[in-house]
Amino acid sequence: MQNNANVIIIGGGIVGTSLAYHLAKQGIKDIVLLEKDYLAAGSTGRCGAGVRQQWGLKMNCLLAKESIAEFEQLHEMIPTDYDLEFKQKGYMMLAYDNEMVNQYKRNIQLQQSLGIDVEYLTPQEAKTIVPHLNTEGLIGATFCDKDGHLNPFTTTLTYAIGANRLGAKIYKNTRVLDLVREKGKIKKVITDKGDISADLVINAAGPYSKGISKMAGIDIPVFSERHQILVTQSIKQIQDPMVISLKHGFYCQQTPHGSFIMGFGDPNELKGTDTTSTWNFLEEMAQKVLPVLPSLKNLKVVRQWAGSYNITPDSQPILGNSEEVENFYMAVGFSGHGFMIAPAVAKAISETIVGKEPTVDISMLRLKRFEAGNLIKEPSVV
Ligand code: FAD
């Protein structure tokens, strides 16, 4: 392996690869990405890969909107043989109480003001879009037909190819073991394939971000939590949009292949990077999804697995350089929405690094917000 680079990115998930691509696109030469396993081996390859613009915070709406616009053009931007399997058939978010209805209506006002086409639906209207939806107890729903989901593997590989074509080098099976810090700067990255120095080091290590920051001598307020997910047998297409119920805490989509992918959030889940899947999950998933989508009852589950959310105290990422170590950047703590905002985040970080005004202002996501007690309030986190 080479022993010098301009920028070193640690982590080859959607964040690391899209960063490598966007930094290279900004004209930065000599970028190196280090991945301990294979590309998308972490949370990215284990995620639902849903992409939605239906957020309650302006910044998140804009990051998701920019990212979806980029996903729409990814094939033209980076031509490859990979099928991104981008299914843009919408996201439907269900509301079961007045508080949620009011919040969703406020969100819609914001989203529409930002040019995101989201509509409010009555239960009957929701049922015309998802005919197998049980509307019992449902008060309303929101729907954006440009939301959807992609294949997280082919999307990540596409960014890696794009970065590589622009000169970035990607070293797989290369584990970062330590960082050498001298006089407030990272001098060297120690890997199991040799040492490499760089002007700038970026932590994009997903669930392992706390450990990588510790190597730089910085304690960041993140932890990882297991999230489980399953896929069923394929059947004919019966559900166009991704369906989300914050009340039941689940998301459920039908892929272009006909299988259903679903999961739910559980605050009592195992903390840490263990990704063992459990029998309990299978049972609880069925209990959550079947009252809302009863016709999935007899579907056979073909596989279940788990991945990690990397979570901060406000469930929003930490982006930017640390004040303690100026050449150490962080792009971590993406919780359950890192896939859908990664391209716009990568673009904004890259623009900032080359001294441009970022397309989306991400300054509120700096690490120091926690010290200052400026936690971000985003009502639409799943
Ligand atoms: P990762 O993909 O985890 O990449 C980090 C990489 O760093 C890994 O490949 C890892 O091997 C590597 N690495 C770690 N340590 C080292 C080291 N020492 N040396 C070298 N390499 C190292 N998000 C959405 O937007 N939509 C969804 O629908 C969605 N669903 C989800 C469902 C589940 C079950 C889970 C678990 C997550 C979901 N997410 C979703 C969240 C999303 O997966 C993450 O936010 C996103 O993938 C984070 O990307 P990343 O590149 O930061 O991390």
Side-chain angles (χ1 to χ4, degrees), residues 23-233:
L23 285 167
K25 217 175 153 195
Q26 289 297 336
I28 296 188
K29 304 268 179 270
D30 214 4
I31 298 165
V32 160
L33 185 150
L34 305 172
E35 165 54 52
K36 70 180 170 62
D37 295 315
Y38 52 90
L39 297 176
S43 307
T44 301
R46 295 162 178 274
C47 83
V51 295
R52 71 170 147 115
Q53 301 162 87
Q54 299 181 63
W55 290 95
L57 197 70
K58 181 179 172 190
M59 178 190 64
N60 282 336
C61 290
L62 291 175
L63 287 172
K65 184 183 175 204
E66 274 283 318
S67 297
I68 287 184
E70 183 160 312
F71 287 138
E72 283 170 347
Q73 292 167 14
L74 201 55
H75 250 313
E76 286 73 53
M77 282 166 53
I78 309 170
T80 71
D81 291 339
Y82 290 127
D83 185 356
L84 299 172
E85 296 171 25
F86 193 7
K87 180 177 167 187
Q88 254 176 313
K89 293 282 176 125
Y91 247 72
M92 183 180 288
M93 301 189 66
L94 308 175
Y96 287 90
D97 59 49
N98 287 329
E99 201 186 323
M100 208 171 273
V101 167
N102 292 338
Q103 181 62 55
Y104 282 179
K105 285 187 173 167
R106 281 197 296 276
N107 290 357
I108 290 182
Q109 267 187 348
L110 170 74
Q111 292 150 5
Q112 288 177 346
S113 75
L114 299 169
I116 301 168
D117 197 10
V118 183
E119 54 183 323
Y120 184 79
L121 305 174
T122 63
Q124 293 67 34
E125 288 167 334
K127 202 168 168 65
T128 59
I129 297 173
V130 180
H132 69 128
L133 181 70
N134 176 13
T135 54
E136 197 185 324
L138 187 69
I139 303 185
T142 65
F143 181 68
C144 174
D145 66 356
K146 285 280 183 290
D147 295 347
H149 50 87
L150 298 89
N151 180 320
F153 292 97
T154 53
T155 308
T156 304
L157 293 175
T158 299
Y159 276 111
I161 289 174
N164 198 238
R165 284 184 190 150
L166 294 172
K169 301 235 171 49
I170 294 177
Y171 294 94
K172 291 177 268 183
N173 299 308
T174 305
R175 182 185 290 266
V176 171
L177 301 174
D178 208 353
L179 302 174
V180 177
R181 175 177 157 179
E182 267 173 35
K183 294 184 190 146
K185 284 189 105 177
I186 303 300
K187 282 278 175 226
K188 215 189 283 177
V189 177
I190 312 229
T191 83
D192 58 0
K193 300 279 165 60
D195 302 351
I196 172 166
S197 60
D199 296 334
L200 189 67
V201 176
I202 306 182
N203 178 359
Y208 301 88
S209 66
K210 195 175 179 79
I212 296 291
S213 288
K214 258 197 187 135
M215 292 177 191
I218 302 165
D219 189 20
I220 55 169
V222 286
F223 65 95
S224 292
E225 181 179 271
R226 177 172 69 185
H227 276 247
Q228 305 194 52
I229 182 165
L230 63 77
V231 61
T232 71
Q233 68 180 124

Side-chain angles (χ1 to χ4, degrees), residues 57 59-60 221-223 311-318 363-379 381:
L57 197 70
M59 178 190 64
N60 282 336
V222 286
F223 65 95
I311 306 178
T312 66
D314 58 10
S315 300
Q316 301 303 312
I318 299 171
S363 55
M364 70 159 85
L365 294 172
R366 293 179 67 89
L367 175 62
K368 63 180 180 198
R369 75 179 183 273
F370 298 111
E371 271 171 37
N374 294 331
L375 268 66
I376 295 168
K377 290 190 183 64
E378 167 54 79
V381 168

Side-chain angles (χ1 to χ4, degrees), residues 227-273:
H227 276 247
Q228 305 194 52
I229 182 165
L230 63 77
V231 61
T232 71
Q233 68 180 124
S234 297
I235 57 165
K236 71 173 173 38
Q237 288 289 330
I238 58 165
Q239 182 180 315
D240 277 341
M242 168 86 93
V243 173
I244 287 200
S245 166
L246 294 184
K247 178 189 166 204
H248 303 86
F250 75 79
Y251 57 90
C252 174
Q253 57 173 283
Q254 188 172 20
T255 70
H257 305 287
S259 57
F260 280 80
I261 290 184
M262 60 188 88
F264 66 87
D266 174 0
N268 299 318
E269 255 294 13
L270 201 63
K271 307 298 180 248
T273 51

